[in-house]
Amino acid sequence: MRAVLGLCLVFLTARAPGALSLSTHVAVIHPQDPVLRIGSNLTASCWVHPDLGIHASSLYWTLNGQQLPGSLYRVLSPTNLSVTLGALSASRQTSGDNLVCHNHKGHILAGSCLYVGMPPEKPVNLTCWSRNTKDLTCSWAPGGRGETNISTKYKLKYKLRWYGTEKECKDNSHTLPYSCSITQDLHLFTPYEIWVEASNQLGKAKSDVITVDILEVVTTDPPSGVMVSRVGQLEDQLSVRWEAPPALKDFLFRAKYQIRYRLEENQDWKVMDDVGNQTSCRLAGLRPGTVYFVQVRCNPVGIYGSRKAGIWSEWTHPTAASTPHSERLMTGSCDSKSSGDSNSTLRRELKQFFGWVRKHAYGCSSMSMKLYDQWRVLMQKSHKTRNQVGSPRG
């Protein structure tokens, strides 16, 4: 806090030559650097050394560079002028507001920093995660409105649940605000009790204590080597393949994956939740001749036999691929009315069957996928043959 106080105000003091020693102030403001609650009243006084020959009635006050009205002043003695400020607002910055005493020529005689704010409230939203079991990082949010308007310290504290001494997290270099990482002496098979303490010159507050098992909050890097490709000439499918996160290859775990994809011209993602622990997936029911963006993420489930899932990784960078153009759209189709009622009935039945297969083969499920592939190839060949037969010969 002292380092902050020094940033509040730098001022020059006028001295009467030969009247004072270098170690004596020409003027003093009392109280010096007070810390007050929002809404408080303050009466400050500026005492001037008698040897300066300055009468208090010639002095004036400024707050953050703005002169305060004379109606707030009171001459306490020939060398002492006070000012009373009511219902103080929050400090503009945590380094304090400048309250300054001037002589009639505008020279600065003395200054004080005002710190007006609130005591901290109970920190909230304390949550923790472990990157590949190599650390334990926790983040939180200040309680209440969040801003105390004065310098407030937050300390992340922890201890092993059933034994061990209380420790304080020291690594605050994380990019997230209000966070800290525990990087040494991690215990993978013993839960931690973790909490946050907040303090400033107006008070203290403590968060709820949470219990964290590192193996239940593990997150990892996104999957690597994502590849998206066509499935032959099937116009409404794409194949997605990827590799497990490299950092977890030596761990006993069963990964769970999610895929999401979107159209090139659309920002809305569609998420596939049924991927399971396989490292490949077939996206079906896509639009022919269309560019898609695909992403994959990983959840490390059951590391070292833990019963709970971990935390989802970040999504991989988008990988783009396009579905083949539909031959029906490129060449047109011929649906002759002279085919007869039997052909019409057959087409209707086939259409119903195709809809059933398409519905059940949607996503990454392997159910009926082989039959679906065969059916799609047969349908494309059938359309292509009918188009060739129905086209006029030159």
Side-chain angles (χ1 to χ4, degrees):
M1 190 67 178
R2 278 293 153 196
V4 175
L5 294 178
L7 296 176
C8 174
L9 179 67
V10 177
F11 59 89
L12 299 175
T13 57
R15 300 183 182 277
L20 299 171
S21 67
L22 293 177
S23 61
T24 306
H25 293 291
V26 298
V28 175
I29 291 180
H30 180 80
Q32 186 65 213
D33 304 336
V35 181
L36 305 164
R37 283 178 175 260
I38 294 174
S40 298
N41 299 330
L42 171 69
T43 297
S45 61
C46 178
W47 175 85
V48 183
H49 199 285
D51 291 347
L52 289 178
I54 299 175
H55 195 276
S57 61
S58 67
L59 306 178
Y60 69 90
W61 293 87
T62 62
L63 180 62
N64 293 326
Q66 299 295 317
Q67 184 170 343
L68 296 173
S71 59
L72 302 179
Y73 304 167
R74 181 183 177 190
V75 177
L76 302 179
S77 72
T79 58
N80 199 343
L81 178 71
S82 71
V83 64
T84 299
L85 305 175
L88 289 170
S89 300
S91 295
R92 296 183 181 180
Q93 53 189 10
T94 55
S95 57
D97 294 332
N98 294 325
L99 181 63
V100 180
C101 176
H102 303 258
N103 66 13
H104 67 286
K105 294 182 179 181
H107 296 155
I108 295 174
L109 300 179
S112 177
C113 293
L114 305 186
Y115 299 94
V116 185
M118 296 295 292
E121 295 191 42
K122 172 182 174 181
V124 295
N125 299 335
L126 176 59
T127 183
C128 303
W129 64 93
S130 173
R131 174 72 66 174
N132 301 321
T133 73
K134 303 301 182 183
D135 60 17
L136 182 61
T137 299
C138 300
S139 67
W140 62 91
R145 297 179 303 168
E147 180 58 62
T148 62
N149 297 104
I150 60 176
S151 179
T152 302
K153 294 182 178 180
Y154 292 88
K155 296 180 180 179
L156 179 74
K157 295 191 174 182
Y158 63 96
K159 71 180 188 68
L160 295 175
R161 185 175 184 182
W162 295 297
Y163 58 90
T165 57
E166 177 182 308
K167 296 182 179 180
E168 180 182 340
C169 177
K170 298 295 186 180
D171 184 2
N172 294 290
S173 60
H174 204 275
T175 56
L176 291 175
Y178 305 112
S179 65
C180 192
S181 295
I182 304 169
T183 57
Q184 297 179 343
D185 301 326
L186 292 178
H187 293 253
L188 297 182
F189 302 100
T190 303
Y192 284 88
E193 291 183 350
I194 301 177
W195 65 96
V196 175
E197 295 179 358
S199 63
N200 61 27
Q201 289 185 285
L202 293 176
K204 299 180 180 180
K206 178 181 176 181
S207 73
D208 292 333
V209 178
I210 65 171
T211 301
V212 176
D213 186 334
I214 291 181
L215 296 181
E216 295 179 354
V217 294
V218 176
T219 186
T220 185
D221 300 320
S224 59
V226 178
M227 298 180 62
V228 184
S229 57
R230 296 180 177 182
V231 184
Q233 291 303 310
L234 296 180
E235 63 207 24
D236 62 348
Q237 296 188 33
L238 288 173
S239 174
V240 186
R241 296 182 180 277
W242 61 90
E243 297 178 2
L248 291 182
K249 286 186 176 179
D250 296 332
F251 287 81
L252 179 62
F253 79 107
R254 182 175 60 86
K256 181 169 66 173
Y257 296 98
Q258 273 187 346
I259 291 179
R260 70 178 185 179
Y261 62 94
R262 65 174 175 85
L263 298 173
E264 181 181 25
E265 68 274 10
N266 195 330
Q267 296 301 315
D268 296 329
W269 294 92
K270 185 172 184 63
V271 178
M272 306 299 302
D273 288 317
D274 59 348
V275 182
N277 65 344
Q278 58 189 344
T279 55
S280 64
C281 173
R282 184 81 62 83
L283 300 179
L286 305 179
R287 184 186 300 176
T290 304
V291 175
Y292 283 87
F293 289 107
V294 181
Q295 292 180 298
V296 187
R297 67 176 180 175
C298 173
N299 188 320
V301 180
I303 290 184
Y304 292 136
S306 172
R307 297 180 180 180
K308 294 185 178 181
I311 299 175
W312 286 105
S313 72
E314 298 293 329
W315 290 101
T316 59
H317 293 296
T319 301
S322 63
T323 52
H325 287 278
S326 171
E327 293 189 8
R328 283 172 289 173
L329 296 176
M330 295 175 64
T331 63
S333 61
C334 178
D335 187 13
S336 175
K337 295 183 179 180
S338 61
S339 300
D341 293 340
S342 60
N343 286 340
S344 177
T345 301
L346 177 61
R347 283 196 303 272
R348 184 169 61 253
E349 292 176 352
L350 292 179
K351 184 176 180 181
Q352 293 173 349
F353 177 72
F354 170 75
W356 181 89
V357 174
R358 179 171 177 151
K359 177 181 178 181
H360 289 81
Y362 186 82
C364 294
S365 173
S366 60
M367 177 181 178
S368 301
M369 187 61 72
K370 183 176 181 180
L371 180 60
Y372 179 71
D373 291 347
Q374 295 173 350
W375 177 250
R376 292 296 299 127
V377 172
L378 178 62
M379 287 292 291
Q380 290 182 11
K381 289 182 178 180
S382 175
H383 281 290
K384 185 174 183 181
T385 301
R386 288 203 302 270
N387 290 339
Q388 292 174 348
V389 173
S391 298
R393 298 181 182 273

